[in-house]
Amino acid sequence: MRKSGFFPRLALVNIARNSRFYLPYLLSCGGVAAMYYILQFLEHNEGLDSVRGAMYLKSFASVGCFIAAMFSAVILLYANSFVMKRRQRELGLYNILGLEKRHIAQMCFWESLFCAVITIAGGVAVGILLSKLALLLLLKISRLPVLFGFSVDFQGVANTAALFAVLFLLTLAKNLFQVGKSRPVELLRSAQAGEREPKTKWLLVILGVLTLGGGYFLAIATKNPVEAMLWFFVAVILVIIGTYCLFTAGSIAILKRLRANKKFYYQTRHFTAVSGLLYRMKQNAVGLANICILSTMVMVTISTTVSLNIGLEESLNDMFPYDLEFVKDLEKQPGDSMEYLHMIEEAVAENGGASELRYYNRGWIYCGVKGNEVSLRLDQDCVRTEVEFVTAADYARLTGNSVVLAPDEVLVCARNLPDFPEDFTFTDSGKSGLSFHVRDTITEIIEHASTTLITSDEARLFFVTADQNAIDRIMALNPERGSKQFRVQINLAVPETEKLEKTDAIILQLSKQLENGISSTSKQDQAAEFYTMYGGFLFLGVLLGGLFLMATVLIIYYKQISEGYEDQRRYQILRQVGMSQKEVAVSIHSQILLVFFLPLGAAAVHILAAFPMLSKMLELFQIYNVPLFALCSLGTLAVFCLIYALVFLLTARTYTRIVGN
């Protein structure tokens, strides 16, 4: 018994003999280890420090490392618990044949050691091989220059090895604890232990309906993007609780209703499936809920990050309608604006010229709308809105729509303020108001560069006034709440590939002449930041989507095997009492469809309910194209359904093969 090498050889034989259980376990753990090393490699990569937006990329990699570490623990512990459960009878037999618990503990130690070595060595090796490809992919989707050279992140190797060593030690401790407290007879009979018919727990059903309904209500009713971000995680927690409750208690209630339906229940393909599921639903429910939640996570992660990247150009054009925009604060720089304009024109002419150059004066102030008052003091019950002003002369020059206004008349574009009155007053506490009449409404406004978050449901007022004097009178009510600006907007007459270089050159040339109170915005410079940030989002989304998908596939595979071994004896009995092979096959098919496509349907409903909230959250990234997000969500759902169906077909064969033996 103490012969040198006996237990290591026995451990290797056990792993080989139970390859049906261990192979997916090792592949999954190795895949997660490879992902974790790649994220570590990106987080520590010194070459990324030299590219624009490195902060975003490294932050995303750091977040990815944390999530991958958490899921590594979940996958490892789940897969290990399944493997040990399937081997309980084998361990009991070893005990009966003379191996003491300390001998079984030694065998478990060597098995865990071999699994750890295979996982860490294989995962790190694959991670090193794919790390350069991952870096190139990240740079490609972030539109950054390629970094040459190949390197190994030894800190990442050490961190990956340390993480998985700790996780395997935890699984070993858990296995040794189970072996220590178990009895041989219990281990031998564990595989034959059946489930009693579970009772319908109506309180759990009601809790599930309430929490799921609450999560759906938050997702549908929340209209403000900032509130959507704040309430999103609350809604997610409620939906997760509701999913577990309804899969645990609600599924039992549904199965009992199906059993009560004699027309449905007393059919060969339904009878065995419903009865078998009913008696084992307590252990089925958690696995099915896990599949549902992970499937939802995959689809949400992929659809949102893909939408962000596809809608990026539209978002950039909305935020930065011109290649270059210069803003002069007329309070801080009250000098001649035309002299300032001439200086800009000279710099632009030296760098390729402009296809379009325009300028205008703009007034800006933040107000609260309440009835027929536009107050410069914000009350609790007012509608807060950004208010802009341009003169009739500037509006006519920029749009070609000439208009003559009386001193107390304005044109107005009121967004998300449908009941804005025809006669209103600008007011401020302690000061007499300024009354105006809306001569007409307009739809064409003067757009400008803005990095300030403006959501689709945010109120906004744009006024065209008779002259600059009207703007000055309004601003004088409370000079501290707004600003008067002179804006110059430029589109360069150079190829798109040269615009970043030219805009940087223009800003650098003017920086020596520009003084305090004058700022500039370059669309190309901002685009480079956005490409990096959104590209990092997409890369992280694809990587985490792959991680969630891996966990989903692993749970489905192990659940099919578990179901197969538990149903094997039952179907043998049914064949012995006269059930034909064809009827058995139909029953098996019915049960598999019922079990494994229920989570997919529930995940699709979760996605549908979450769609309004996710759409609002995308507005925080200046993505307002709801049809685009809907198309990305449907496409992601369709692709995931295909992958899910493929996994179902592959694992269903394993189930059928086990049951048929």
Side-chain angles (χ1 to χ4, degrees):
M1 189 66 64
R2 296 181 181 178
K3 186 177 179 181
S4 176
F6 173 76
F7 289 112
R9 286 197 300 272
L10 182 60
L12 286 174
V13 170
N14 287 338
I15 292 173
R17 187 171 60 243
N18 292 286
S19 60
R20 179 179 289 178
F21 310 138
Y22 274 106
L23 185 59
Y25 173 48
L26 295 175
L27 287 175
S28 300
C29 294
V32 177
M35 285 188 185
Y36 187 78
Y37 170 80
I38 289 171
L39 290 166
Q40 285 277 310
F41 170 80
L42 295 175
E43 184 181 7
H44 302 144
N45 192 284
E46 295 181 358
L48 281 179
D49 293 334
S50 62
V51 303
R52 189 190 299 258
M55 177 187 66
Y56 296 121
L57 301 181
K58 294 205 167 188
S59 297
F60 292 146
S62 179
V63 171
C65 284
F66 175 77
I67 297 174
M70 294 299 100
F71 259 82
S72 298
V74 172
I75 291 175
L76 203 66
L77 293 172
Y78 174 83
N80 175 75
S81 65
F82 172 83
V83 171
M84 293 306 295
K85 182 180 179 182
R86 297 312 316 166
R87 295 188 58 206
Q88 283 181 344
R89 187 174 181 182
E90 174 191 336
L91 296 178
L93 185 60
Y94 280 135
N95 214 171
I96 294 294
L97 293 176
L99 285 181
E100 299 176 15
K101 288 184 178 180
R102 62 189 179 90
H103 298 135
I104 295 176
Q106 289 185 54
M107 182 184 69
C108 289
F109 167 78
W110 283 105
E111 288 174 356
S112 296
L113 179 61
F114 288 136
C115 289
V117 170
I118 293 170
T119 295
I120 295 172
V124 169
V126 172
I128 290 173
L129 289 174
L130 297 180
S131 59
K132 184 62 179 182
L133 178 62
L135 177 60
L136 292 175
L137 177 63
L138 176 59
L139 295 174
K140 177 67 175 177
I141 61 179
S142 300
R143 307 189 190 188
L144 294 170
V146 173
L147 298 176
F148 295 98
F150 182 84
S151 62
V152 176
D153 178 19
F154 291 103
Q155 183 182 347
V157 172
N159 291 343
T160 305
L163 171 66
F164 281 85
V166 170
L167 293 178
F168 275 102
L169 281 174
L170 289 175
T171 60
L172 175 60
K174 182 173 180 289
N175 295 343
L176 294 180
F177 176 76
Q178 290 179 338
V179 170
K181 72 172 185 176
S182 62
R183 298 178 181 177
V185 175
E186 292 176 351
L187 290 173
L188 285 171
R189 293 180 177 176
S190 62
Q192 298 175 350
E195 289 277 358
R196 296 179 180 179
E197 179 177 333
K199 297 179 180 179
T200 305
K201 300 177 181 178
W202 289 108
L203 285 177
L204 208 57
V205 173
I206 294 171
L207 177 63
V209 171
L210 290 177
T211 51
L212 191 65
Y216 283 2
F217 174 79
L218 285 176
I220 295 170
T222 305
K223 302 300 182 184
N224 183 276
V226 176
E227 291 180 359
M229 179 65 78
L230 294 175
W231 285 106
F232 176 72
F233 294 102
V234 176
V236 167
I237 291 171
L238 289 174
V239 169
I240 289 175
I241 293 172
T243 301
Y244 278 111
C245 289
L246 290 179
F247 269 93
T248 302
S251 58
I252 293 170
I254 293 172
L255 287 169
K256 286 189 174 182
R257 294 290 297 175
L258 291 175
R259 188 176 64 178
N261 186 341
K262 295 182 179 180
K263 291 183 179 180
F264 176 87
Y265 183 64
Y266 289 109
Q267 295 183 31
T268 305
R269 64 177 183 173
H270 296 154
F271 175 81
T272 53
V274 173
S275 61
L277 286 172
L278 184 59
Y279 278 85
R280 293 198 317 276
M281 187 46 73
K282 280 197 298 185
Q283 66 189 45
N284 274 333
V286 174
L288 296 177
N290 287 336
I291 294 170
C292 173
I293 291 167
L294 286 169
S295 299
T296 306
M297 291 170 69
V298 171
M299 289 186 279
V300 167
T301 303
I302 298 297
S303 61
T304 51
T305 52
V306 169
S307 297
L308 281 172
N309 277 267
I310 294 178
L312 174 56
E313 293 297 336
E314 183 179 348
S315 174
L316 280 170
N317 291 332
D318 288 341
M319 295 178 69
F320 309 103
Y322 294 89
D323 294 331
L324 267 173
E325 191 157 346
F326 292 91
V327 180
K328 178 182 179 182
D329 189 323
L330 296 175
E331 297 291 340
K332 295 180 180 179
Q333 291 289 331
D336 185 4
S337 295
M338 291 299 103
E339 182 179 331
Y340 166 63
L341 173 64
H342 180 66
M343 185 170 56
I344 293 175
E345 288 175 330
E346 286 183 345
V348 171
E350 292 176 16
N351 288 276
S355 61
E356 182 180 6
L357 188 150
R358 63 187 212 164
Y359 58 91
Y360 64 99
N361 287 303
R362 171 182 180 258
W364 174 91
I365 199 164
Y366 200 67
C367 299
V369 178
K370 185 179 179 181
N372 64 347
E373 289 188 0
V374 181
S375 174
L376 277 69
R377 297 287 179 184
L378 303 178
D379 298 327
Q380 291 290 336
D381 55 348
C382 69
V383 179
R384 302 188 178 197
T385 177
E386 178 181 315
V387 182
E388 297 178 74
F389 308 93
V390 297
T391 64
D394 280 341
Y395 185 77
R397 179 165 47 80
L398 295 176
T399 65
N401 300 322
S402 136
V403 62
V404 178
L405 297 172
D408 63 344
E409 289 183 331
V410 295
L411 303 180
V412 65
C413 175
R415 292 184 178 177
N416 296 310
L417 287 167
D419 299 322
F420 191 76
E422 288 188 7
D423 295 288
F424 65 96
T425 303
F426 277 101
T427 64
D428 189 52
S429 58
K431 298 179 182 179
S432 59
L434 299 174
S435 298
F436 289 89
H437 172 73
V438 176
R439 177 164 173 184
D440 201 358
T441 59
I442 56 175
T443 57
E444 187 176 5
I445 67 174
I446 310 303
E447 297 289 359
H448 58 86
S450 175
T451 55
T452 305
L453 174 65
I454 301 174
T455 59
S456 63
D457 59 351
E458 188 171 347
R460 187 179 178 188
L461 285 171
F462 179 85
F463 289 110
V464 178
T465 63
D467 50 31
Q468 186 63 39
N469 181 53
I471 299 176
D472 292 340
R473 289 165 55 214
I474 296 169
M475 303 289 289
L477 290 174
N478 194 333
E480 295 180 357
R481 293 200 60 82
S483 67
K484 290 185 287 185
Q485 305 167 344
F486 177 69
R487 284 184 171 262
V488 182
Q489 299 171 327
I490 306 156
N491 276 328
L492 296 178
V494 297
E496 195 67 35
T497 54
E498 299 178 16
K499 283 187 176 181
L500 178 59
E501 178 186 351
K502 296 297 184 182
T503 54
D504 285 348
I506 292 169
I507 293 173
L508 179 63
Q509 180 176 338
L510 290 172
S511 64
K512 301 174 183 178
Q513 306 171 54
L514 301 183
E515 301 177 14
N516 182 38
I518 301 177
S519 61
S520 62
T521 302
S522 164
K523 177 181 178 180
Q524 283 67 37
D525 187 64
Q526 295 292 331
E529 295 284 334
F530 272 65
Y531 291 146
T532 304
M533 182 172 67
Y534 286 29
F537 266 125
L538 179 60
F539 180 82
L540 183 61
V542 171
L543 206 64
L544 294 182
L547 181 63
F548 300 150
L549 182 61
M550 186 188 303
T552 305
V553 172
L554 185 69
I555 292 174
I556 292 174
Y557 176 79
Y558 278 150
K559 189 148 194 65
Q560 289 282 41
I561 291 179
S562 177
E563 295 292 320
Y565 281 113
E566 290 176 3
D567 290 345
Q568 188 180 48
R569 180 172 173 77
R570 186 160 59 92
Y571 279 109
Q572 286 175 349
I573 294 172
L574 289 174
R575 282 193 293 266
Q576 290 171 359
V577 297
M579 196 172 184
S580 68
Q581 187 67 34
K582 182 179 179 181
E583 289 172 332
V584 169
V586 171
S587 175
I588 291 172
H589 185 69
S590 175
Q591 178 171 329
I592 294 174
L593 284 175
L594 185 63
V595 170
F596 288 99
F597 280 92
L598 178 62
L600 182 61
V605 174
H606 288 348
I607 292 291
L608 182 63
F611 184 83
M613 178 174 272
L614 293 172
S615 299
K616 288 298 176 184
M617 288 171 63
L618 285 175
E619 290 187 12
L620 295 174
F621 300 93
Q622 306 297 316
I623 303 295
Y624 307 108
N625 194 335
V626 177
L628 170 65
F629 180 46
L631 191 61
C632 289
S633 298
L634 288 173
T636 303
L637 177 61
V639 172
F640 184 80
C641 285
L642 289 175
I643 296 173
Y644 194 95
L646 179 62
V647 173
F648 160 74
L649 291 173
L650 294 175
T651 55
R653 291 180 183 176
T654 303
Y655 175 92
T656 305
R657 189 163 54 248
I658 293 171
V659 171
N661 290 336

